[in-house]
Amino acid sequence: MPEKNKDLNCKANNYAAKISIIYAVVSAVWILVSDILTTTLFAKRGLFTIFSVIKGWLFVLITASLLYFLIRKKIYSLYLSENKLQNALEELQKTNAELSKTQEKLVVQYKKLAKNQEKIKELAYFDQLTNLPNRNYFTMVLEKAIKEAHFKGQQLALIYIDIDNFSKINNTLGHETGDIVLKEIAQRLKEAVGNNGFVARLTGDEFGIIIYNFLDFNVLNYFIYKIFNSFSMSWEIMEYDFYITPSMGVAIYPSDGQDSVSLLKNADKALKLAKEKGKNTFCFYNVEMDNILQQRLEFESELRKAIEKDQFVLYYQPIVNLEKMQLCGAEALIRWIHPQKGMIPPMSFIPIAEQTGLISQIGQWVLTKAILDLKSIREVTNHNFYVSFNASLREFSSANFVDNVLYTIEALKADPTSLGIEITESVAMADPQNTIKSLNTFKEKGIKVFLDDFGTGYSSLNYLKQLPIDVVKIDRSFIANMSTDMKEQRIAKSLIDLSHILDLKVVAEGIEDSQQAEILKSFDCDFGQGYLFGKPLPKDQFLELAKRF
């Protein structure tokens, strides 16, 4: 029996014994006293009998009263306890009901919390646009894959992908189209890799792929080319049909890095080299790449110093009227005179200047220098002489490019009609609508517009006739073998005739001998430029050349 029940049983026994003792004592006293009184006071038998009966009933009445008072208090206490217990039970039931409701609410809140935790996890580890894992999740998976590869003695590949010129899609077709393209890219990458790897979106237009345990590089190359093939198909999105190309950098565990940070860093280095090679290709990381990138950083630093210390010189190559054989203009060409390395050609530093954004400062220097030189050049030539300068894609894409050019012309009090701006077809077609708008602004101010390297780009005739240009410059590749190649002559004549149909003047580049000049003249080509008339020269030497015309 439990201790509590033993205690209650003991209390009950004590109370029952108490009542019994009181009852026994009262009864004994009553019998003793009543018998003595009866014997003493009612000796006569007649009265004795009557009094005995009365005494018996009095005993019953007294003992009943005694029991009533003895038991009533305890029963009252029991009823009070029962009432308290009933009230406590009702309160307990009420509390239990409230607890049940609270439990239901807690279950609902728990479910909401679980959903929120899932949502937080999704936001923390997944890209909301493509539903691919994000960079955080990719890094976790990569670290886990590295540990497993180390344990099993396997190798894995990290492929870093960047979409070439993706900004053109956003700028030309809008961010909505760009988002649709990114979703499609994500889907194609997943299909290309399948269960053999892990695909994630690392940043805006950059993706990461882990290729698990590949037996040899033939297998890895298979997946790389499979990824390229997934991009080779045309993209038909929102009634647009276009092509997209990727650049990829590849790093291998364990040879190219034994942790996630090293692999990502080295794959990124390989990606940058792929970009420098012309995009739409891939590069494997190697140790020599560090030396290349180090040289690149040093070259970039020297280029910045060149801007600060004014190490540039502007050269001018003459443009001649073929019919009159008169000097009518010149193309301004920048040269870098390095204090130790000497002359550095533009093709060596212009691409780096574009990639680093230094091209804007260099372009501003060219425009300012050309305007300042123009006054002395026109004094030697004639008042119709003009100077043209080149605008790169990065410059032309800048939101304030047009305003900066016009401000510089106005600040230096230059004649806009004595200046020309040269853009390539690739620059013109990067964002045709904005290009047309910008070129119209230049034309309204009297600035001549040249389309450089005509025939080598990808502009359609429809866009060509819409572009507000004055002059097309036929690329030297159509001129080089003109003297002996009849096909080349026909192509050049077709380009000249097409330009004239569109009311455009024509400059033929790369003329190196008089025979080429005569052929072009017979084709009614308006102007010529090339070594036959003069190489690019610094201002002083160009002035001497101009005097001989």
Side-chain angles (χ1 to χ4, degrees):
M1 182 180 293
E3 289 296 326
K4 187 173 183 181
N5 290 347
K6 287 182 179 180
D7 185 54
L8 290 174
N9 185 55
C10 181
K11 287 182 179 180
N13 289 334
N14 291 338
Y15 188 74
K18 180 180 177 181
I19 293 174
S20 298
I21 291 169
I22 292 172
Y23 180 78
V25 170
V26 170
S27 298
V29 170
W30 170 261
I31 292 170
L32 180 63
V33 171
S34 62
D35 285 347
I36 294 172
L37 289 174
T38 301
T39 305
T40 306
L41 298 175
F42 304 103
K44 293 181 178 179
R45 182 169 293 278
L47 292 174
F48 181 82
T49 301
I50 295 170
F51 188 76
S52 295
V53 172
I54 293 171
K55 184 184 73 167
W57 283 106
L58 284 173
F59 178 76
V60 171
L61 179 62
I62 291 170
T63 55
S65 298
L66 179 63
L67 289 174
Y68 169 78
F69 285 110
L70 289 173
I71 296 173
R72 176 185 173 280
K73 184 177 179 182
K74 200 63 179 179
I75 292 176
Y76 178 71
S77 298
L78 289 173
Y79 276 126
L80 284 177
S81 298
E82 182 183 6
N83 188 52
K84 288 180 181 180
L85 286 172
Q86 185 64 34
N87 290 337
L89 179 61
E90 291 176 358
E91 287 293 326
L92 186 61
Q93 290 174 340
K94 184 178 179 181
T95 303
N96 187 53
E98 291 176 352
L99 286 174
S100 297
K101 291 180 180 179
T102 303
Q103 184 181 17
E104 291 175 0
K105 290 180 180 179
L106 286 174
V107 170
V108 173
Q109 291 295 327
Y110 176 78
K111 290 180 179 178
K112 288 182 179 179
L113 181 61
K115 288 182 179 179
N116 288 337
Q117 288 176 334
E118 288 295 321
K119 188 67 176 177
I120 291 170
K121 181 180 179 181
E122 184 179 341
L123 290 172
Y125 294 117
F126 288 88
D127 173 55
Q128 298 303 296
L129 177 64
T130 62
N131 292 323
L132 287 178
N134 61 16
R135 192 181 190 93
N136 291 334
Y137 198 2
F138 182 80
T139 303
M140 290 172 56
V141 172
L142 179 59
E143 289 174 350
K144 182 180 178 182
I146 289 172
K147 290 179 181 178
E148 291 182 358
H150 175 72
F151 179 74
K152 297 178 181 179
Q154 298 172 346
Q155 58 183 353
L156 59 85
L158 169 58
I159 304 175
Y160 207 140
I161 301 176
D162 180 83
I163 310 305
D164 298 332
N165 304 318
F166 183 76
S167 59
K168 289 183 182 178
I169 297 175
N170 285 333
N171 295 336
T172 307
L173 305 179
H175 288 275
E176 181 180 354
T177 304
D179 288 347
I180 295 174
V181 172
L182 287 172
K183 290 179 182 179
E184 180 65 20
I185 290 172
Q187 185 60 35
R188 292 193 187 189
L189 290 177
K190 286 170 66 177
E191 291 175 358
V193 174
N195 296 325
N196 300 286
F198 182 81
V199 183
R201 183 187 179 197
L202 304 183
T203 60
D205 62 341
E206 292 183 343
F207 295 82
I209 296 177
I210 302 170
I211 300 295
Y212 300 118
N213 185 31
F214 56 92
L215 299 178
D216 55 46
F217 278 87
N218 289 329
V219 176
L220 179 57
N221 284 332
Y222 166 78
F223 284 108
I224 291 174
Y225 286 112
K226 193 174 181 183
I227 292 169
F228 269 110
N229 289 336
S230 70
F231 281 87
S232 64
M233 298 177 288
S234 64
W235 301 69
E236 297 178 3
I237 296 174
M238 293 182 69
E239 300 181 357
Y240 295 102
D241 189 6
F242 50 90
Y243 288 86
I244 297 174
T245 59
S247 295
M248 300 193 293
V250 186
I252 310 297
Y253 170 86
S255 59
D256 298 335
Q258 299 187 8
D259 57 76
S260 61
V261 175
S262 299
L263 282 176
L264 281 166
K265 180 181 177 181
N266 292 336
D268 186 44
K269 290 178 180 178
L271 172 61
K272 288 178 180 176
L273 190 58
K275 287 281 189 182
E276 290 183 8
K277 285 186 175 182
K279 305 177 182 179
N280 193 24
T281 187
F282 68 94
C283 286
F284 284 92
Y285 172 80
N286 59 65
V287 178
E288 288 299 319
M289 199 171 290
D290 286 331
N291 296 330
I292 294 172
L293 292 174
Q294 181 62 35
Q295 292 173 6
R296 161 76 182 273
L297 288 174
E298 292 174 358
F299 192 79
E300 181 184 332
S301 176
E302 290 178 345
L303 184 57
R304 292 181 185 276
K305 290 179 182 178
I307 296 173
E308 295 172 3
K309 297 182 179 181
D310 197 19
Q311 296 175 357
F312 296 113
V313 176
L314 208 56
Y315 278 44
Y316 297 92
Q317 185 172 27
I319 298 175
V320 176
N321 184 311
L322 291 178
E323 182 181 359
K324 300 178 181 180
M325 292 305 290
Q326 291 180 348
L327 185 64
C328 59
E331 180 181 358
L333 299 166
I334 190 171
R335 297 291 185 265
W336 179 9
I337 311 299
H338 193 281
Q340 285 81 39
K341 300 176 183 177
M343 176 79 74
I344 298 178
M347 291 304 297
S348 298
F349 67 86
I350 292 297
I352 295 177
E354 288 184 335
Q355 293 168 15
T356 57
L358 296 173
I359 192 66
S360 296
Q361 294 173 257
I362 293 174
Q364 181 65 40
W365 181 90
V366 170
L367 176 60
T368 303
K369 181 64 174 172
I371 291 174
L372 294 174
D373 288 347
L374 186 58
K375 183 177 180 181
S376 58
I377 294 175
R378 293 189 93 176
E379 289 176 355
V380 173
T381 57
N382 58 70
H383 294 292
N384 293 323
F385 185 89
Y386 66 86
V387 170
S388 64
F389 61 94
N390 293 277
S392 70
L393 175 59
R394 179 139 188 182
E395 284 182 282
F396 206 83
S397 302
S398 174
N400 56 359
F401 174 69
V402 175
D403 291 336
N404 286 345
V405 170
L406 297 180
Y407 174 78
T408 303
I409 293 172
E410 183 178 355
L412 297 176
K413 296 181 172 57
D415 178 10
T417 61
S418 65
L419 293 170
I421 181 170
E422 296 193 16
I423 61 170
T424 62
E425 290 182 65
S426 58
V427 172
M429 298 307 298
D431 187 354
Q433 297 304 317
N434 283 331
T435 297
I436 292 171
K437 181 180 177 181
S438 298
L439 294 182
N440 275 326
T441 302
F442 287 134
K443 287 204 66 171
E444 288 171 3
K445 298 294 183 180
I447 300 172
K448 298 176 181 64
V449 178
F450 294 72
L451 185 64
D452 199 9
D453 300 335
F454 180 58
T456 61
Y458 52 86
S459 61
S460 66
L461 183 60
N462 181 50
Y463 271 120
L464 184 61
K465 70 181 183 181
Q466 291 183 45
L467 289 172
I469 55 181
D470 300 292
V471 183
V472 294
K473 301 184 75 173
I474 298 177
D475 187 72
R476 66 183 67 248
S477 61
F478 299 106
I479 309 298
N481 301 314
M482 180 180 291
S483 301
T484 57
D485 191 336
M486 294 302 296
K487 288 183 180 180
E488 198 165 271
Q489 287 187 27
R490 286 194 288 269
I491 292 172
K493 188 176 188 306
S494 298
L495 292 174
I496 293 169
D497 291 341
L498 174 62
S499 300
H500 287 160
I501 290 171
L502 297 172
D503 294 325
L504 302 173
K505 298 294 183 181
V506 180
V507 176
E509 295 184 292
I511 301 175
E512 296 186 355
D513 58 57
S514 56
Q515 188 176 358
Q516 292 172 337
E518 288 300 322
I519 293 172
L520 289 165
K521 187 176 179 180
S522 70
F523 293 161
D524 295 325
C525 183
D526 303 287
F527 307 102
Q529 180 180 353
Y531 282 7
L532 175 64
F533 310 113
K535 297 180 179 180
L537 298 169
K539 186 185 74 169
D540 293 341
Q541 294 181 36
F542 180 81
L543 289 175
E544 293 299 321
L545 175 68
K547 291 175 183 178
R548 297 197 294 268
F549 270 90

